[in-house]
Every structure is written in C-alpha cells, then in structure tokens.
Amino acid sequence: MVSRREFLWANGVVLAAGGLGLTLPASPAGAATRAPAPLLPGFGRATRLDFADISTLHGNDQLLLATLQGVVNRRRPRLYFNYTTEGYDNTWLTSTGAAVTRHERPLDLVARYRGEVRGAILHDPDVPDSVNVATTLAGLENAVAATAEQAEQYGLRTITDLRGRFKADDILGLYRWQLDNLFPRCTHALLSGLPPTRTVKVDDVRWREIARETERIRDSSNREVRTFDLSQELSGEDGVYLRFQDSLGDDGWGASVGSVVVKADGAQIASFTPGTDAETPYLFDGLNSSIGGDQNRFSDGGGYFIYRFTAPAGTQQLTVEVDLWNQFLVTATTTAPTRVEPFPYFRDYTVAMRAMVFWLPPSGQTGDLLDEILSKVKPTTPYAGWFSNDVAGEWGGVDRASQHAVEVVPADYYMNATVHAGVAAKVSSKVRPRPPATLRNKVYLTLTVGEGDNIQYCQRRMRQLWDDPARGRVPTNWTVSPLLAEIGPALLSHYQRTATANDLLIAGPSGAGYTYPGSWPEQDLAAYTELTGQFLRRTGMDLVYAYNHRNPEDNGWVAFDERIVRSYRKNTPLRGIIQSWESGDLQIHPAGLPVIGNFSPQGKAQEYRDTLVKKIEGWDGKSPLFIAGAVNAWNWTPSDIAELGSLLTEPFEIVRGDTFFHLLDQHLDRTG
C-alpha cells in the first residue's frame, strides 16, 4: 500500500527547500521509514512580513495580490494581507511572531515582488469560472491571475490568455478541460472548491420596505400568495430590485418563496418557481440563499436573495405575486445593490500547493464530474473550500466527498493560510483535567457551540465570540478543527492558552475534517478514524461533535452504528460522541462508547430555556437525565449563553462535555 508521503512525492509535492519549503524532522538513525508528510503542509516560518490592508480593493486587485502571495510565500512567507473590513487578519498578525513592514499602497507590492513571478494568467471577464482555471494555472506556472489591463499596467508578460477559450454557459466543458489538461500536473494531495466570484454590496443604496412578518413563525402557517405593488420603483432606469430577508435574524427561519408571478399593467411578464431555469433570468443575487425541499428559495439569519424585474416601456403599474412564508422582510430599490467580482480568498494556499481549483454544484452533471474528480485522489485527501447552494450543497457535497473517502475542510474564507500554516506556535497535546462531579438525579446539560470544523470560523467568528467578556461564566464546549495544528497552529494555541476553566475545546464534525462516516467505503473508514486519532492526540481533544448521512426516505439523520463507533473507539482517544440530531432523542452505546444526539431549541435564552423545561415534562426525577444542547455560533454569543445559565435553575446543571460523558458513562454502567 502506498503511504501518504510516497503518494505526495509521486505527485509532485516536493517537500524540500526548493519545493514547498517544508522543514521535516530528521529520522532516527537506522529508521526504515520517513516521517509522514503533513496533511495540510506549511511553507516555512515567516520572520519578516510585508503587510497591507486590501479590504477596500476591487476583487480583481485582491485576486492579483492573493495569487502573488501564493507564489511568493511558497518559497518563504513574506506577504500578509488584511482582506476584509472586519479586521480579523489584523487581530492574528501579531501571532505570526514576524517583524512587520506596513505598506499604505498595497498594489506597489506587485512591482516589489514582480521578479518572483513569471508573468500573468489572464482570466476572461465574460466567463467567471475562468478565475478558477487562472488560479490553477497560476500555481503551476509561478504566475499571477490578472485581467489584461492589470498585466499591462504592472508590466507582467502574458503566460496564458484565457479570454475566448471557454463559453460562460459551458461550465462542464471548462472544468473537463482543466481536469484533462491541468490535473495531471497538479498536486493530488489537495483538492479545492472555491466560488469564482463574490457579491459585494454597493454603498448608500436606499431600500423601501414592502412587507414584514413581525411574529416568530417557523411552521409555514403564514404561507399565502401576497401581492406587492412596485409601481413606485418604475422610475428607475435599471429595473426594480426586490430583496427577501429574515425579519428576525437570530433563529434561522427567514423568508421562503415558493413561486413568483410578475405583471405589468395586468399582463403577465414573468412566472417562475425557484430553482428552475425559468427563475435564472430574474435571480440577480442568490448566493446567500438555498433551495428547500418544497422547491422554495429561502435565506436565514443575515442572508438574503434579490430578484430583478424590468417592465416594458410606458408601464404604469408593476405588481409581483409571491407565494411567501416564515419570517420575511421584503424591500425594493431601483439601484443595483451589489456587484459581482472575483472571489480572492484562500487562493494563496491553493497557488502555493499547486492544487486544482474548481466549483461544481454537487448534483446533476456537475455532480457527476465532481464524483470523477474525487475518485482520482487517495483516501483521506482533503477537499478544502466549500460547495455551492449553501445547505443543500453542504449535504450533497460532503456526502459525495465521504463516498469517495475524502474529508472536507471548510476553508473558502480562510485567509493568509500560507503564513499561518508556518507559525511556530506550541499546540498542547495535554487533555484538560476533568472537574470532579458526583452523579445525582439531575438534568445534566452540556452546551456545544458548533461550526468548529470550519477553519475560517475558527479564524474569524470564533475569535469574536471568544473575546466576549461573558465567556467562561457558563461551562461551554467549543468545537474547533484539530487540523488547525497544521494549517493554523497559532489560532489553536491561542484558544488553548486563553480558555477558562469553563471552556472545553472539542473536535468539530466529525474529527480530522468534516465528513459523514456512514457514507465512507467500508474499507476506508479506518483510514479516517486513524487520521482523526492522530490529530486528537496532537491537540489534547477527546470528544467530537459529529454528523452522519441522511436517510433518503425521510431526510432524517442516520445514527452511528456499531461499525462506525467501533472504528472511532479503536483508533481514537474519544470518551464520547455528540451527534447532530436536532430533536435530541438519541442516546445509544454502540461498541461501549456513548453517543448522544444534540438538541437544538430555537430562539435566544428565554425561549431556549422554555423549550428545555417543556422537554423534561415527563421526567420523574428518580434518575439522572442527560441533554446535549446545541448553540448556534452565528446567532448566539457568550453573553447569550450566560443569560441562559442564569435562567436555568434546579433541576438543571450545566457541565462541560468531559464531565457530562463521565457522568453519562456512570449512569449507563448502573442501568446496563
């Protein structure tokens, strides 16, 4: 059987100063085998960094700089950027330990480092997905991805011109060409799925409120066809933009649209169902939305989707009939509210790794091509990035990857990876001491903040939550990716060092990378649990939050079976597993390892507390009761957790996950 290291060598990932710039530990004298290669390798330690804030630059300029960063940092990390206005990249800059030179004119760095690139790969503005092909070629050719205008402006010779090479409506043909012609030259140690474009909000757009649901409605009980008069917006020269949002963005039940009919002076000019070809001409911005099981388009939390309608000249009245439900906020404007530009994030790492970059929705013909790509790599090869169509894309994409023994590393917004992967930060392998506890007839609740498999969440949103002064008031489990030990050791080290006695880091779904273990080929599952065991021991984690595939008959989660849990028990140090379950009514003990389903109440603290009280109504108090409670990382903060803690009195006791499973084990031993 070919080892991972042998596989990396065979496929062009040179682990030496002239290749990826890795420094590997020396083998003991007489050792028969070499140390295994990193799963997510670094490129050496940064000692000096040229830093610039590029958050206000256009996507074309950010793409140029990100691909430059990949080529330059492959040899030795020297470029570091702040990519977004939130400033998270600034927050982590000091953790690199490097001397920093700040540059007020970011694009001057192109001239400074021009001698380290061979030239430019020109992407085609008329074919958005050519950005991904240009990124792949940039890695292979030691080049940057640029527009023709940028290449001329910065004196970059053209290596490959992709303009006119592909058709915008033939995405399959574009990625088929890349697979046939570029993948043989790429590393096979990493696959990357990145959206070719992003949508950027335009400043100072004025919206008129059309309709709003003020009640918390999550059961479609307010579903009806509503007619909106958009005649006030007919004065706009660029059409009418109709936006649908979540009116109550803290609980994840936003606007849901089942059909749309548009009429101009009573005559129908458009009619469509979401997710169909008929919708496409009118969907101006659907990136932050998903297609649901009722052929509905929905968006929750801070997301939205926008339709654009153009009425015939001379129209006096424009109306839109919308089949609409849940917590909706509908607004309209006559100004284009967003613009589309290249998506620049994580491309420094893919360029440095010489990875193939693509964006294939995991269904239909694009799903078939995704399957073909996934089948060409070895088991436990990471797929870094994400999938299209948000929720549905996540389920379909992760499941397809799992079927091919590939784990997913959500990384599409992970920035400066080529620097962070090389930081010499100490990651502790010590398991946290478990607080003492005595089993009593109480309701034991352990609270788990999700999303930790998502390394950009660990870099961005989690840091924001972590800095909340209320953190530590209530025992809380924080999911993180153990893969940060390689691709972000300073991040993981920070969370380890600053954790309070009430904070416990546990592995995010479902271990060393996001996956559905039940979908793995039987012969490959051990490779994943062995990999997970290695990373858990490196990071001192002994609990995992896990997902599994869904039952195609009822779309419900499938519980871990004896085979899956036995593999975890054999190959990892786990003391327990919390499995995604929503209703929380799963409590099993396969292979002698406790597995409990999480419980996901809606709303904030008071509603969460009321739902818990209702859940235990049938409990007689004569034996302990165990509940694993989910905390929404995007809508909750430690302050909300602290408020919940203050509301939960007897018989509830909130405990850390390690204490929770220690007590649950005792209870299961007593009850057999």
Side-chain angles (χ1 to χ4, degrees):
M1 184 175 183
V2 178
S3 71
R4 166 165 281 279
R5 181 175 179 82
E6 290 169 338
F7 175 70
L8 293 176
W9 276 92
N11 288 282
V13 182
V14 184
L15 306 178
L20 294 183
L22 298 175
T23 302
L24 297 174
S27 300
T33 59
R34 291 170 172 159
L39 185 74
L40 296 167
F43 307 91
R45 180 181 180 181
T47 57
R48 181 189 62 80
L49 289 171
D50 286 315
F51 168 82
D53 188 326
I54 64 174
S55 59
T56 60
L57 296 184
H58 189 279
N60 281 328
D61 291 327
Q62 289 194 359
L63 176 67
L64 171 65
L65 290 170
T67 51
L68 175 69
Q69 184 184 30
V71 175
V72 169
N73 287 4
R74 179 196 291 150
R75 182 174 298 174
R76 187 177 72 254
R78 283 160 289 160
L79 285 175
Y80 188 99
F81 300 124
N82 178 57
Y83 278 90
T84 61
T85 55
E86 295 89 351
Y88 293 110
D89 297 304
N90 293 328
T91 302
W92 293 109
L93 180 59
T94 56
S95 70
T96 65
V100 176
T101 301
R102 297 177 180 270
H103 298 264
E104 297 301 321
R105 296 166 57 87
L107 291 166
D108 286 352
L109 292 168
V110 178
R112 184 182 183 90
Y113 286 98
R114 184 169 51 207
E116 298 197 26
V117 298
R118 294 182 56 236
I121 310 297
L122 307 186
H123 55 91
D124 188 342
D126 295 328
V127 183
D129 285 81
S130 69
V131 167
N132 282 344
V133 178
T135 302
T136 302
L137 279 167
L140 294 174
E141 301 291 347
N142 292 332
V144 296
T147 63
E149 294 75 17
Q150 287 174 319
E152 181 178 1
Q153 180 179 356
Y154 298 110
L156 299 164
R157 75 183 185 95
T158 299
I159 304 297
T160 302
D161 189 346
L162 297 177
R163 291 175 299 172
R165 184 79 65 89
F166 307 106
K167 297 179 180 179
D169 60 355
D170 186 19
I171 301 306
L172 277 173
L174 178 147
Y175 287 122
R176 165 60 63 186
W177 178 88
Q178 181 175 239
L179 178 61
D180 293 343
N181 293 278
L182 302 186
F183 187 61
R185 299 171 56 197
C186 293
T187 175
H188 291 183
L190 179 75
L191 298 173
S192 188
L194 297 176
T197 60
R198 67 182 180 186
T199 301
V200 179
K201 291 183 179 180
V202 174
D203 294 333
D204 302 322
V205 174
R206 301 181 64 179
W207 293 89
R208 179 172 71 92
E209 183 171 317
I210 304 296
R212 178 190 295 265
E213 176 58 71
T214 59
E215 301 295 326
R216 292 191 183 277
I217 297 178
R218 307 166 181 141
D219 58 2
S220 308
S221 59
N222 64 340
R223 181 173 185 172
E224 63 178 80
V225 175
R226 294 171 169 83
T227 300
F228 303 132
D229 190 339
L230 303 182
S231 302
Q232 291 186 42
E233 281 69 38
L234 283 172
S235 59
E237 297 180 359
D238 195 32
V240 179
Y241 299 88
L242 192 64
R243 181 176 65 181
F244 296 85
Q245 295 172 272
D246 190 341
S247 61
L248 299 164
D250 62 352
D251 66 353
W253 287 87
S256 191
V257 169
S259 65
V260 176
V261 175
V262 185
K263 295 181 179 179
D265 293 332
Q268 180 175 301
I269 61 172
S271 178
F272 58 82
T273 299
T276 63
D277 291 341
E279 180 198 39
T280 302
Y282 307 101
L283 185 62
F284 177 77
D285 182 0
L287 187 63
N288 296 288
S289 64
S290 301
I291 299 298
D294 294 331
Q295 200 61 47
N296 57 303
R297 184 172 295 279
F298 69 93
S299 190
D300 303 327
Y304 63 88
F305 54 98
I306 300 171
Y307 292 115
R308 176 178 177 268
F309 306 115
T310 303
T315 298
Q316 298 298 308
Q317 184 181 45
L318 182 68
T319 60
V320 180
E321 299 170 3
V322 184
D323 180 13
L324 180 64
W325 65 95
N326 285 352
Q327 296 165 182
F328 56 80
L329 170 60
V330 185
T331 52
T333 188
T334 58
T335 304
T338 60
R339 66 174 185 270
V340 177
E341 55 188 44
F343 182 93
Y345 313 128
F346 196 62
R347 295 182 190 269
D348 65 312
Y349 196 79
T350 61
V351 167
M353 282 289 290
R354 298 185 176 95
M356 186 174 75
V357 183
F358 50 92
W359 189 244
L360 292 167
S363 60
Q365 289 183 307
T366 53
D368 293 340
L369 184 56
L370 176 60
D371 277 334
E372 185 176 346
I373 294 172
L374 294 169
S375 70
K376 291 182 177 295
V377 296
K378 298 291 186 180
T380 74
T381 299
Y383 170 102
W386 199 229
F387 303 97
S388 64
N389 196 20
D390 193 25
V391 177
E394 173 183 347
W395 294 340
V398 176
D399 195 47
R400 283 179 183 266
S402 302
Q403 291 174 32
H404 292 281
V406 169
E407 70 274 6
V408 175
V409 183
D412 47 335
Y413 285 87
Y414 190 67
M415 302 170 200
N416 295 296
T418 48
V419 176
H420 289 302
V423 175
K426 180 176 175 54
V427 173
S428 175
S429 61
K430 294 182 179 179
V431 177
R432 292 285 300 278
R434 175 177 51 80
T438 302
L439 184 63
R440 296 185 175 90
N441 293 336
K442 291 189 173 189
V443 178
Y444 290 103
L445 173 68
T446 193
L447 297 170
T448 301
V449 182
E451 301 297 334
D453 60 300
N454 185 335
I455 61 173
Q456 70 242 16
Y457 157 81
C458 298
Q459 183 185 48
R460 314 182 88 71
R461 172 63 174 172
M462 183 173 172
R463 179 61 187 265
Q464 182 183 32
L465 297 176
W466 199 258
D467 290 343
D468 187 327
R471 178 178 58 83
R473 295 180 188 173
V474 173
T476 305
N477 309 315
W478 296 87
T479 56
V480 296
S481 174
L483 301 182
L484 287 173
E486 288 186 348
I487 200 167
L491 280 66
L492 183 54
S493 177
H494 174 79
Y495 294 128
Q496 288 182 331
R497 288 184 291 102
T498 57
T500 71
N502 275 332
D503 298 315
L504 182 69
L505 301 180
I506 72 173
S510 291
Y514 179 20
T515 202
Y516 303 154
S519 294
W520 276 60
E522 187 169 351
Q523 69 273 16
D524 296 320
L525 179 60
Y528 175 74
T529 57
E530 288 170 2
L531 183 70
T532 295
Q534 294 169 19
F535 275 93
L536 294 183
R537 293 182 181 95
R538 288 175 64 179
T539 58
M541 299 183 205
D542 57 7
L543 293 176
V544 67
Y545 184 82
Y547 280 82
N548 205 16
H549 62 288
R550 289 178 175 268
N551 187 327
E553 295 182 1
D554 59 10
N555 203 36
W557 296 110
V558 175
F560 279 4
D561 58 23
E562 187 84 10
R563 177 184 67 91
I564 295 171
V565 179
R566 187 185 307 113
S567 189
Y568 273 106
R569 186 174 179 84
K570 176 183 177 182
N571 297 317
T572 76
L574 289 179
R575 69 168 77 226
I577 298 171
I578 301 172
Q579 187 179 343
S580 180
W581 206 255
E582 280 84 27
S583 62
D585 57 356
L586 174 70
Q587 187 172 309
I588 55 179
H589 203 230
L593 190 66
V595 178
I596 190 166
N598 75 336
F599 181 50
S600 303
Q602 300 295 331
K604 287 294 186 74
Q606 185 62 54
E607 188 175 0
Y608 199 114
R609 177 263 179 196
D610 294 344
T611 306
L612 285 170
V613 170
K614 185 175 182 180
K615 182 175 179 61
I616 69 168
E617 284 179 350
W619 178 62
D620 61 11
K622 296 180 179 179
S623 61
L625 184 65
F626 294 86
I627 300 175
V631 174
N632 188 311
W634 305 110
N635 297 332
W636 277 57
T637 67
S639 295
D640 296 315
I641 297 173
E643 182 183 354
L644 175 62
S646 69
L647 295 173
L648 289 176
T649 56
E650 290 288 344
F652 292 96
E653 182 174 343
I654 305 177
V655 295
R656 270 179 17 188
D658 48 359
T659 299
F660 181 86
F661 278 100
H662 173 70
L663 296 173
L664 178 56
D665 254 339
Q666 288 186 10
H667 173 62
L668 293 173
D669 287 343
R670 291 181 184 181
T671 59

